[in-house]
Amino acid sequence: YFHQQKYGDALKEFLRVVYNYDAPPHQAAALLEAGKVAEQLQKWQDAADFYTKLIGQFPDDPHATQAAERLAAARGRLRPGD
């Protein structure tokens, strides 16, 4: 869905993995992708929240490094009141 720019559908599928499965590597990857979807939708706070959750829940996962980088960028895009 992501590559088809069906971002709402993509987000639903990524979050389904996060909340319905006990598979940490897949959950971490899904949180990273959910953050990317939020970025595409310019929902910077949501993106930051997904990246923060990934880093907090899966700090040793390889995706955590990219999440930290993207978190900094998303926070840089936040406006007061977002």
Side-chain angles (χ1 to χ4, degrees), residues 24-26 28-30 32-33 54-55 58 60-68:
H26 298 292
L32 181 65
E33 295 303 318
L54 190 166
I55 295 164
F58 310 105
D60 297 326
D61 187 278
H63 292 97
T65 301
Q66 187 177 0

Side-chain angles (χ1 to χ4, degrees), residues 58-81:
F58 310 105
D60 297 326
D61 187 278
H63 292 97
T65 301
Q66 187 177 0
E69 294 166 1
R70 296 188 85 99
L71 175 59
R75 284 183 174 158
R77 301 294 299 262
L78 286 172
R79 292 173 297 215

Side-chain angles (χ1 to χ4, degrees), residues 23-77:
H26 298 292
Q27 290 170 291
L31 281 167
L32 181 65
E33 295 303 318
K36 291 178 184 179
V37 169
E39 287 182 40
Q40 289 296 317
L41 296 171
Q42 296 185 3
K43 295 186 176 232
W44 306 111
Q45 184 61 58
D46 289 347
D49 292 345
F50 292 133
Y51 298 140
T52 299
K53 184 175 181 74
L54 190 166
I55 295 164
Q57 286 190 318
F58 310 105
D60 297 326
D61 187 278
H63 292 97
T65 301
Q66 187 177 0
E69 294 166 1
R70 296 188 85 99
L71 175 59
R75 284 183 174 158
R77 301 294 299 262

